[in-house]
Structures are given as structure tokens and as C-alpha cells.
Amino acid sequence: QVQLVESGGGLVQAGGSLRLSCAASGNINSILAMGWFRQAPGKQRELVAIVTSGGSTNYADSMKGRATISRENGKSTVSLQMISLTSEDSAVYSCYSKIWSPPLEHDYWGQGTQVTVSS
């Protein structure tokens, strides 16, 4: 089993910045990708940013230029730095990881951390 533990959520003023971190532990064979999704009340869960084992990144259009996802090589951690936050960024942010455990790929999710941006 794999556990994803998030940290760094909280309350921030509009225009401020926030850093989220996620650490994976457990039966990890090979991490294929790690990233962050978010879900605001009444809305569908959406991708915020993701980074693959090869270092490729993908960002939601709304986060391009305002978010940076990073993962240290060989480590089971991922961080998301967000700047210029607005109330539209308020949501529960969940860490995600796709892990290769032969012969299958598995998707894992953290419990989520609340990010609230006050205007």
C-alpha cells in the first residue's frame, strides 16, 4: 500500500503565495508521475499541475505562470509553489501519484488539504 501525505495548505490573502508538499511512502516500486488536483465546492476535480518521472510537466491553463511543480530526482516528494493567488484558487488540493507496481499501474490520492484565499 502507498500513502500520500500532504502539507502546506491554509489561509492566504489574495495576491499571496503558498507552497504545498506531498510525500509518498509505502510499497513504491517506481513513481511514474506525481501532481496536484483540486476541487472547489460545486465543481469537478481538475488538474493543477503534474510532473512525470522524465521531468515533463503539465499545468492547468489557469495556473500557467502562477504555479511551479517540482520533484527531486530519486525522492518520493513533490512540491507545488503557487503565487498571485485569487479567490478562484480556493479549493481542496489533493496530491496524486501514478505508481508502477508490476504488472500494473496504480493511482493513489492523498486526503486533501484545504486552500482558502481571502479577498
Side-chain angles (χ1 to χ4, degrees):
Q1 193 58 275
V2 173
Q3 297 81 39
L4 300 180
V5 178
E6 302 124 331
S7 61
L11 177 66
V12 61
Q13 288 189 335
S17 61
L18 203 64
R19 185 179 181 88
L20 303 179
S21 296
C22 174
S25 62
N27 186 20
I28 299 172
N29 185 290
S30 178
I31 295 178
L32 301 178
M34 291 190 79
W36 293 90
F37 287 72
R38 68 185 181 187
Q39 187 169 21
K43 295 186 177 181
Q44 289 189 332
R45 183 167 59 190
E46 64 175 357
L47 172 72
V48 179
I50 194 165
V51 57
T52 70
S53 57
S56 298
T57 57
N58 190 30
Y59 294 91
D61 287 342
S62 63
M63 298 307 294
K64 288 178 180 177
R66 299 194 300 122
T68 303
I69 190 168
S70 60
R71 183 182 165 215
E72 292 186 53
N73 286 338
K75 293 193 175 182
S76 304
T77 59
V78 66
S79 295
L80 180 70
Q81 179 71 44
M82 299 182 290
I83 64 172
S84 302
L85 291 166
T86 73
S87 58
E88 293 296 309
D89 297 312
S90 294
V92 174
Y93 285 69
S94 297
C95 180
Y96 162 82
S97 183
K98 181 177 288 292
I99 293 173
W100 170 248
S101 295
L104 300 173
E105 298 177 354
H106 300 271
D107 295 326
Y108 293 96
W109 296 89
Q111 289 191 329
T113 184
Q114 178 70 47
V115 172
T116 302
V117 184
S118 63
S119 56

